[in-house]
Amino acid sequence: MASMTHRGITAQELLHGLRLAITTIAGTVLLTASLPRKLAAHDHLTPQLGAYATLLGLLAVEIVLLVRRRDWGRLRGPALGLTLAASILSTWTLRPEYLTTSTDWSFGTTGWIGVILLYNRPISLLAAFLVAHEAVTVARVLTLPVDRDFVLNLVAGSVGTVGFPLACGLASVALRSIAALAERAQAETAAIRTADAVATARHAARQHRLALLDAAVEPLLQGLADGGRIPTDPAVQRDCAVEAARLRRMLAETDLSDDPLLHELRHGADVAERQGLLIEFETVGIWSAPSVEVRRALLDGPLAALSGARSWARVSVIGTGEALSVNVVADGTGPVAPSPRTDVEYLVVSEDDTTWIEARWTAASRSS
Amino acid sequence: MDRRISLVVIDDHEVARKGLAAWCAESDPPIHVVVDGASVDIAFHGLARTADVVVLDLQLTPGLPTLDGLQRLVAAGRRVVVYTQIADDAMAVRCLDNGAMAYVTKAEAGEHLIAAIHAAADGRGYTPPTLGGAMAGNSDPQGPSLSIQEVTALKAWFASRSKSMAAKSMGVAPATIHTYIDRARAKYAAHGRPAPSKSDMVRRALEDGLIDLSELGDADRP
């Protein structure tokens, strides 16, 4: 599946290929023009050579821009002006009888330079340019006494002068829209693939969390369902409170929060608060967010202890440069399993009916 | 202490002032509230000028708490116990730096405010759990340098609110926890900008043998 993405042609590449084709056509037309072969036919050779050199120069600039994958940009306007000037110069210095014949080299070539300059602009601009170029010749023809053959020659020649470049321009419009479609399709494919990957990862994370929960929740629910465990039993009530707090904490794990540790701790403590416990919450110092595994280890012990509180509890978080600790002090405590990680220590101190549990993550394990 | 302690109470809530006066009357040794009111100015008139201790609410007007009142009182050589609604560790440390004898949140006032007033009258600092946590969690590199035991004791005191549980967690006697906390408090008194109340606390800490001069390397900084 993934290898297909690399084979998709991008709009940029498609448009570059189009420009290469147009430049090749224009280059071929210009280099095979009749002027070099019919130098003797011209009365005024200098303006003809000047016009030809101008178009060759523009072709050379196009080749440089093409190789560098740059657009004409601000040069486009002056280049169009030069092209039309070359057309005028060549047409108006030609011997009248050669107009629209094979000796009138600029009549058939100038339009292609126009296509080079305007292939990626609105088609109306190219059409206007071609009409202007055609008008140069028509204007000259109108100053002369013309017969029917001459007019027919002009019309037939115009098919090549205006028709072919315009057709090429129209083709480029079609290709450009295909390129845009291809780009959109590719973006959609990428978006779908990303959404797929996110959904897969999210599903895996959810499965993992459910597996963690199942280990403890399933036997509890089964016990309640088959009557093996009685809801009035304080131990059962405590187990339920612990699992409810864990469930809330795990749901909070996927929330976006500036401080995920505090966010998850508040969710866990909230369950205890709903059971009528008076909870005090205090934090001091600063810390950077630990990984989700470290957060689980830091919170599981204190939240389990919290589930055994009878009437009040004090929850605190202390961050110093060396350590991060989560503390619960309460009147009574639930059973606390050993810490699941070696870098998170649990410390339990009891006095009279007050118990303090500290889960401490030490600096030795923190990457510096 | 063989004489009555005289006290000025500055709080904008009359109920809080009367409640505190009632606690003071029951304390041993007794504390006599000479005057109470809602403005810092009352501490500078009549009998109030010679009162041993001033209890100051940081938030006298609605809005952000300010240190102006504390600074005026400390500059006049008064011993001030800050008493506040806000448990803000940065604010607690700034109050110490400005020469407050103690920082007591209203939540811990019942257990610690009277003790803080007694200590202040005696020229000693007092460290309730919230202030201990603020000192332990202070990450300012310019702050005083505390030993590992001092930081551990402050954290345990903050988290457990019990010196005997803190002592058990560290495997030491409760008196040792006291010493660690008081030493840390003395280091804060000796640190940063000078104030008469801070000099009193450093002198008492030296007399009590809590610290020696070599530990006050930064005490004479301007």
Side-chain angles (χ1 to χ4, degrees):
Chain A
M1 275 295 278
S3 67
M4 281 184 64
T5 52
H6 305 294
R7 292 163 65 181
I9 186 164
T10 68
Q12 286 295 331
E13 284 162 5
L14 199 59
L15 291 174
H16 185 69
L18 174 65
R19 186 177 182 185
L20 192 63
I22 289 168
T23 306
T24 307
I25 295 170
T28 310
V29 170
L30 191 57
L31 292 173
T32 58
S34 64
L35 180 66
R37 284 176 276 118
K38 297 188 175 180
L39 293 176
H42 296 280
D43 288 346
H44 312 282
L45 195 54
T46 312
Q48 293 299 328
L49 289 175
Y52 190 60
T54 302
L55 297 189
L56 277 180
L58 289 168
L59 179 68
V61 174
E62 162 66 8
I63 290 169
V64 172
L65 292 175
L66 177 69
V67 170
R68 293 189 175 178
R69 291 180 178 253
R70 300 274 295 274
D71 190 41
W72 281 83
R74 280 181 302 172
L75 292 177
R76 194 185 324 275
L80 285 167
L82 273 177
T83 312
L84 273 182
S87 163
I88 293 166
L89 189 63
S90 164
T91 306
W92 284 76
T93 60
L94 195 69
R95 277 168 61 179
E97 63 268 34
Y98 289 146
L99 277 174
T100 76
T101 67
S102 65
T103 309
D104 187 358
W105 63 272
S106 76
F107 189 49
T109 53
T110 310
W112 290 104
I113 301 296
V115 178
I116 282 179
L117 294 170
L118 295 168
Y119 86 102
N120 60 353
R121 313 293 302 162
I123 188 70
S124 53
L125 289 180
L126 179 61
F129 174 83
L130 294 172
V131 166
H133 169 54
E134 178 80 10
V136 172
T137 302
V138 171
R140 178 87 199 273
V141 168
L142 290 178
T143 65
L144 303 167
V146 289
D147 56 17
R148 229 183 82 198
D149 286 353
F150 205 108
V151 172
L152 279 176
N153 225 3
L154 175 64
V155 173
S158 300
V159 172
T161 305
V162 177
F164 293 163
L166 194 62
C168 189
L170 284 169
S172 98
V173 170
L175 256 179
R176 263 157 46 207
S177 77
I178 290 170
L181 274 177
E183 184 144 290
R184 208 176 311 140
Q186 205 177 1
E188 277 169 14
T189 313
I192 290 168
R193 201 169 291 120
T194 307
D196 252 11
V198 169
T200 310
R202 191 180 291 154
H203 181 68
R206 193 178 299 139
Q207 289 300 101
H208 178 62
R209 284 202 306 278
L210 282 178
L212 287 175
L213 266 185
D214 279 354
V217 170
E218 210 180 300
L220 184 62
L221 291 176
Q222 256 169 11
L224 287 170
D226 62 22
R229 307 203 65 186
I230 303 152
T232 49
D233 178 357
V236 174
Q237 288 173 356
R238 197 171 51 224
D239 286 353
C240 289
V242 172
E243 293 313 322
R246 271 161 48 94
L247 192 61
R248 275 291 294 272
R249 179 178 63 62
M250 283 186 183
L251 290 174
E253 271 178 10
T254 52
D255 293 351
L256 279 178
S257 163
D258 286 346
D259 192 327
L261 180 80
L262 276 190
H263 181 71
E264 290 159 31
L265 182 58
R266 286 215 160 90
H267 270 267
D270 189 45
V271 173
E273 212 156 37
R274 278 158 195 262
Q275 291 170 334
L277 236 59
L278 187 66
I279 302 211
E280 246 185 278
F281 210 98
E282 214 172 343
T283 64
V284 294
I286 50 167
W287 55 86
S288 48
S291 70
V292 67
E293 291 81 14
V294 171
R295 297 204 305 271
R296 278 182 195 149
L298 275 173
L299 297 179
D300 268 357
L303 288 180
L306 192 58
S307 69
R310 283 192 301 276
S311 59
W312 63 267
R314 186 172 129 81
V315 179
S316 57
V317 179
I318 313 171
T320 58
E322 300 78 33
L324 172 59
S325 74
V326 177
N327 300 268
V328 166
V329 182
D331 56 346
T333 178
V336 176
S339 166
R341 290 175 66 95
T342 51
D343 56 356
V344 176
E345 269 182 278
Y346 288 172
L347 174 85
V348 181
V349 179
S350 291
E351 192 177 65
D352 304 327
D353 67 343
T354 304
T355 299
W356 164 35
I357 171 167
E358 177 187 18
R360 187 194 303 157
W361 182 40
T362 42
S365 61
R366 296 166 87 166
S367 53
S368 49
Chain B
M1 184 136 308
D2 49 2
R3 62 179 183 87
R4 285 205 313 185
I5 296 166
S6 52
L7 180 71
V8 174
V9 178
I10 304 169
D11 189 313
D12 58 338
H13 292 108
E14 196 180 356
V15 159
R17 299 200 300 265
K18 297 305 172 208
L20 180 52
W23 280 346
C24 288
E26 290 167 11
S27 83
D28 177 33
I31 300 166
H32 172 57
V33 177
V34 212
V35 64
D36 68 70
S39 154
V40 173
D41 296 334
I42 60 162
F44 295 95
H45 299 289
L47 279 177
R49 280 183 301 180
T50 54
D52 298 313
V53 180
V54 178
V55 166
L56 171 69
D57 179 1
L58 270 194
Q59 206 168 11
L60 287 176
T61 49
L64 288 176
T66 64
L67 292 171
D68 299 350
L70 174 63
Q71 283 162 347
R72 270 180 69 199
L73 290 163
V74 167
R78 309 303 291 270
R79 293 170 175 175
V80 183
V81 170
V82 167
Y83 158 70
T84 176
Q85 194 72 49
I86 313 143
D88 173 338
D89 40 341
M91 183 54 92
V93 167
R94 286 177 65 198
C95 286
L96 292 195
D97 192 38
N98 277 283
M101 305 292 288
Y103 179 93
V104 185
T105 64
K106 291 195 177 177
E108 35 183 36
E111 254 179 288
H112 297 287
L113 186 56
I114 295 299
I117 294 168
H118 282 147
D122 203 17
R124 292 185 168 93
Y126 185 87
T127 311
T130 301
L131 179 57
M135 284 156 64
N138 182 14
S139 56
D140 181 1
Q142 303 292 314
S145 57
L146 306 183
S147 72
I148 292 171
Q149 288 94 333
E150 285 157 7
V151 172
T152 309
L154 288 170
K155 283 162 67 177
W157 171 226
F158 167 74
S160 70
R161 285 195 175 177
S162 152
K163 283 183 179 153
S164 62
M165 281 208 283
K168 274 189 192 172
S169 77
M170 288 180 74
V172 297
T176 311
I177 293 288
H178 260 291
T179 306
Y180 287 146
I181 294 171
D182 289 347
R183 282 167 62 99
R185 181 70 188 85
K187 285 183 180 176
Y188 266 87
H191 190 80
R193 75 189 79 194
S197 54
K198 292 170 85 173
S199 309
D200 288 351
M201 281 185 274
V202 173
R203 190 164 51 243
R204 289 311 305 250
L206 286 166
E207 283 167 17
D208 294 348
L210 274 174
I211 47 175
D212 58 51
L213 285 170
S214 67
E215 289 171 290
L216 300 180
D218 56 0
D220 53 356
R221 250 181 15 191

